[in-house]
Each structure stands twice: as structure tokens, then as C-alpha cells.
């Protein structure tokens, strides 16, 4: 009797990272999403896991009754097979695959597919949105043309730690940590600017599709959205020789944590304040705070966000296991990218 194929990864994450680093398989990072009605997300999730495992796909995928949101890494030799496999799923036929802008092939080290209530957490409960009624999509050429006019406002629908390292020239960047937090804040901006045409953008388009559907259902009809988000915009500007109005880096939610769109560095190291836009997670796994760190501070603090985390990381593993339940670190205290050690005395902040 043939053994049943596992539908979950059971190998230690550190071992999987080692395997990926040693592997000579050329990989491409890509993303896709689709709002669609999935009646049985658990069944679809298991089918998708088997399908993608056979293609040696790695990545993070969310499945919900409202659709699918996927960021994956695919062996180059399997990309065409992946396209064929996705085309066999009715609602994913001809779905656009957004190829990464900068890619070292090591964006993901395992395949994780989770069933969620929503593919983008919006805080809207179970209210049904008609996702077919969202704002008109505009391409890079049209975006560039409109962005130069006075009666246009451009709004970044991403989080503050994303826009901190890169955004469109003149864009309004709400100081929020989550998409759900942005919705009421952006609505106030829309109320105050009903005389303007509003263009919304995000990383790949998924947040703007939901946001514009939500706002249009509430009566806002002066909205446009950047088709395919920053990723597709960058691809089009390169392909068609258009001017690039995005400055800095595009934050991404995988091990790369960013891909460069332009040469400008608009952020600062959160520890010393020098120009830098390199996001890292604190090397102390008990903290794991997301923050910006330059090479000099990385060496000084050994990849940690503070002297406290650096000292903790130097302890024997057994002692760390005991203390991690007792100590409070920056990652416990602050949200993503809220850490600003250079604004305070370091000892005051971390002790």
C-alpha cells in the first residue's frame, strides 16, 4: 500500500535553510493573488499543497473563502509547469505572476500554505464586498502622466515600515502598522479630498483591490489603482523606457526583505541614524524585532537590535530557554519598525 503523502513540512527550519544555501538549483521568486469564491478552502489548500510540492515550490500562501494570496519561489526549470498547473484551476487561469525585481533565489526555504479568514486581514468582519466593483486599474505610463497633475493625490496603502524605505514621489504615506489600521485613516483623507482624483498603490495590487472595493461601496467614486502595484510598475518602466517615479526600495515579505527600485536611500539606520535602508530581524530569536540596521551597527551589535539582545544571545542555549520566558525585549515592546534606538540613550531603552 502506497504511503500517504504529507501535506505539511516536518523538517526543522534551520535544516531547510542549510539545504537551500547548499542547493545549486536556480530559482525565481514570484507572487500572485486572486479574489475568488472558494467554497472549501481546506480542501483546496490540501490540493494546492500536493500540486506545488511536486513542482518543488517553496513559499508562503494564504487561502480563504475570498481567494488566494501567494508569494513563492520556483525552480526555473519548473516555471512553465507551474503556469500550466495554475491554468488548470479555473479561477487562476491567466492569472498574472509578478516576478521579483531583485532575486537571489533564496527568498523562501519551505512551503507553507495556511487557511485564513481573509487573504488580507482587513478588520471588516465577514462583510461581503463585491470585489468586481473596485477602482479602474492604470498602468505605469498612465500613472506617470496623472501623477504630474495638480488635482491628483497618490496614497500609499502599505505600512509605515514599507514606505519608510521606498515610496512614490509626493505620495501620502499613512503612519500605520497594518492594513486594517489604514482603512479608517485613509477614509478621512478621502473625505478631505473629494475634489481630487485619488490613485492608490501597494506592493502587488492585492490591498488596493480590496481597499477601493470597500471605499467605492461607501460612495467614493474618485479612485484609481496602480495595476500590479510597485512590482508591475517597475517592470513596465524598464520594458518601455519610462521614467521611474518610485524612490528607494520596495519592501517584500520574505527573507529578502526588500528589492531596490532606485538608487536613492531615503531611510536611516535605527541605531546610529546613518543613511541606510536594509531591514533585518533581530538576531535574538526571542526578540525578532524588524528594524533597519547598517553594517557598522550590525558588526557592533552582532545583528541584534540592542546591547540587551546581544548579551542574551551570547548565553548558553539552556540558559536562554529559561530566561526567554522572563525577559522583555524590544520585539515584545515595539511594533514592526517602531524601534528608534538613536533617538534615546541606548541603556535607557534596552535595560
Amino acid at each position: 500500500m502506497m504511503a500517504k503523502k504529507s501535506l505539511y513540512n516536518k523538517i526543522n527550519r534551520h535544516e531547510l535553510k542549510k539545504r537551500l544555501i547548499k542547493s545549486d538549483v536556480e530559482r525565481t521568486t514570484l507572487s500572485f493573488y486572486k479574489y475568488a469564491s472558494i467554497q472549501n478552502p481546506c480542501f483546496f489548500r490540501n490540493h494546492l499543497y500536493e500540486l506545488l510540492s511536486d513542482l518543488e515550490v517553496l513559499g508562503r500562501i494564504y487561502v480563504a473563502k475570498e481567494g488566494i494570496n501567494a508569494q513563492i519561489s520556483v525552480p526555473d526549470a519548473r516555471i512553465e509547469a507551474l503556469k500550466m498547473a495554475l491554468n488548470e484551476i479555473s479561477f487562476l487561469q491567466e492569472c498574472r505572476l509578478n516576478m521579483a525585481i531583485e532575486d537571489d533565489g533564496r527568498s523562501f526555504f519551505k512551503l507553507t500554505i495556511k487557511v485564513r479568514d481573509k487573504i488580507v486581514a482587513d478588520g471588516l468582519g465577514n462583510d461581503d464586498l463585491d470585489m468586481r466593483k473596485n477602482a479602474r486599474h492604470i498602468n505605469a505610463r498612465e500613472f506617470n502622466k496623472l501623477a504630474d497633475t495638480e488635482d491628483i493625490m497618490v496614497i500609499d496603502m502599505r505600512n509605515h515600515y514599507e514606505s519608510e524605505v521606498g515610496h512614490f514621489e509626493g505620495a501620502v504615506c499613512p503612519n500605520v502598522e497594518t492594513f486594517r489600521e489604514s482603512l479608517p485613516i485613509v477614509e478621512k483623507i478621502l473625505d478631505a479630498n473629494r475634489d481630487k482624483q485619488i490613485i492608490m498603490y501597494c506592493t502587488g495590487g492585492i490591498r488596493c483591490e480590496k481597499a477601493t472595493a470597500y471605499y467605492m461601496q461607501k460612495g467614493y467614486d474618485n479612485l484609481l489603482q496602480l495595476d500590479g502595484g510597485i512590482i508591475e510598475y517597475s517592470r513596465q518602466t524598464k520594458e518601455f523606457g519610462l521614467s521611474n517615479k518610485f524612490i528607494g526600495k520596495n519592501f517584500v515579505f520574505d527573507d529578502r526583505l526588500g528589492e531596490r527600485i532606485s538608487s536613492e536611500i531615503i531611510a536611516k539606520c535605527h541605531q546610529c541614524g546613518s543613511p541606510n535602508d536594509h531591514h533585518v530581524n533581530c538576531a535574538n530569536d526571542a526578540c525578532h524585532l524588524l528594524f533597519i540596521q547598517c553594517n557598522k551597527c550590525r558588526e557592533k551589535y552582532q545583528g541584534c537590535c540592542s546591547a540587551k539582545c546581544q548579551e542574551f544571545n551570547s548565553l548558553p542555549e539552556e540558559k536562554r530557554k529559561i530566561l526567554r520566558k522572563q525577559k522583555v525585549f524590544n520585539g515584545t515592546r515595539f511594533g514592526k519598525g517602531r524601534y528608534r534606538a538613536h533617538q534615546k540613550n541606548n541603556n535607557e531603552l534596552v535595560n
Side-chain angles (χ1 to χ4, degrees), residues 104-119:
D104 60 4
R106 296 176 180 174
S107 51
F108 295 99
F109 57 89
K110 66 177 180 178
L111 176 62
T112 301
I113 306 181
K114 295 183 178 181
V115 175
R116 291 277 182 91
D117 290 334
K118 302 283 184 74
I119 56 175

Side-chain angles (χ1 to χ4, degrees), residues 207-232:
R207 284 175 275 190
C208 290
E209 278 211 42
K210 175 164 283 190
T212 59
Y214 171 67
Y215 292 132
M216 291 184 77
Q217 183 172 288
K218 299 190 76 172
Y220 299 95
D221 56 6
N222 58 335
L223 307 177
L224 298 169
Q225 59 180 310
L226 180 60
D227 188 38
I230 299 163
I231 298 174
E232 178 64 10

Side-chain angles (χ1 to χ4, degrees), residues 90-316:
S90 58
F91 70 87
L92 290 179
Q93 290 177 0
E94 304 304 322
C95 179
R96 179 173 58 215
L97 304 180
N98 281 329
M99 301 293 180
I101 299 163
E102 280 190 331
D103 193 6
D104 60 4
R106 296 176 180 174
S107 51
F108 295 99
F109 57 89
K110 66 177 180 178
L111 176 62
T112 301
I113 306 181
K114 295 183 178 181
V115 175
R116 291 277 182 91
D117 290 334
K118 302 283 184 74
I119 56 175
V120 176
D122 53 29
L124 300 177
N126 293 319
D127 296 339
D128 291 327
L129 286 178
D130 187 347
M131 293 304 300
R132 296 169 299 179
K133 296 180 180 179
N134 51 58
R136 181 170 71 85
H137 295 70
I138 61 173
N139 59 27
R141 191 183 302 276
E142 190 171 3
F143 177 91
N144 282 358
K145 182 179 179 180
L146 289 172
D148 286 334
T149 59
E150 291 184 1
D151 58 347
I152 293 289
M153 174 178 285
V154 178
I155 299 180
D156 193 324
M157 292 304 298
R158 302 173 303 149
N159 305 324
H160 75 92
Y161 54 89
E162 298 173 79
S163 60
E164 181 179 11
V165 295
H167 53 75
F168 280 104
E169 298 170 0
V172 176
C173 302
N175 185 21
V176 297
E177 196 170 314
T178 64
F179 177 63
R180 77 171 65 193
E181 185 184 347
S182 74
L183 291 175
I185 291 174
V186 170
E187 187 169 351
K188 291 180 180 179
I189 297 173
L190 298 183
D191 275 334
N193 294 276
R194 287 183 176 271
D195 59 332
K196 293 186 177 182
Q197 188 87 59
I198 306 292
I199 304 175
M200 294 182 175
Y201 73 89
C202 57
T203 306
I206 188 171
R207 284 175 275 190
C208 290
E209 278 211 42
K210 175 164 283 190
T212 59
Y214 171 67
Y215 292 132
M216 291 184 77
Q217 183 172 288
K218 299 190 76 172
Y220 299 95
D221 56 6
N222 58 335
L223 307 177
L224 298 169
Q225 59 180 310
L226 180 60
D227 188 38
I230 299 163
I231 298 174
E232 178 64 10
Y233 174 87
S234 179
R235 187 195 69 79
Q236 290 182 18
T237 56
K238 291 175 182 177
E239 180 178 354
F240 301 114
L242 306 175
S243 62
N244 171 37
K245 293 184 176 296
F246 189 93
I247 52 176
K249 260 186 176 181
N250 177 37
F251 182 94
V252 292
F253 293 88
D254 57 55
D255 276 16
R256 295 172 299 150
L257 290 177
E259 46 190 15
R260 186 157 299 287
I261 309 295
S262 76
S263 60
E264 294 96 336
I265 295 176
I266 65 171
K268 295 180 179 180
C269 173
H270 288 174
Q271 290 176 307
C272 71
S274 64
N276 195 271
D277 57 10
H278 182 62
H279 272 106
V280 297
N281 286 107
C282 180
N284 171 15
D285 286 341
C287 175
H288 205 64
L289 179 79
L290 177 71
F291 69 110
I292 296 174
Q293 185 178 55
C294 67
N295 289 335
K296 185 177 179 180
C297 288
R298 181 175 182 81
E299 183 177 349
K300 178 180 179 181
Y301 293 101
Q302 296 178 302
C304 293
C305 70
S306 65
K308 182 176 183 178
C309 282
Q310 183 182 16
E311 181 181 355
F312 180 83
N313 249 16
S314 68
L315 298 174

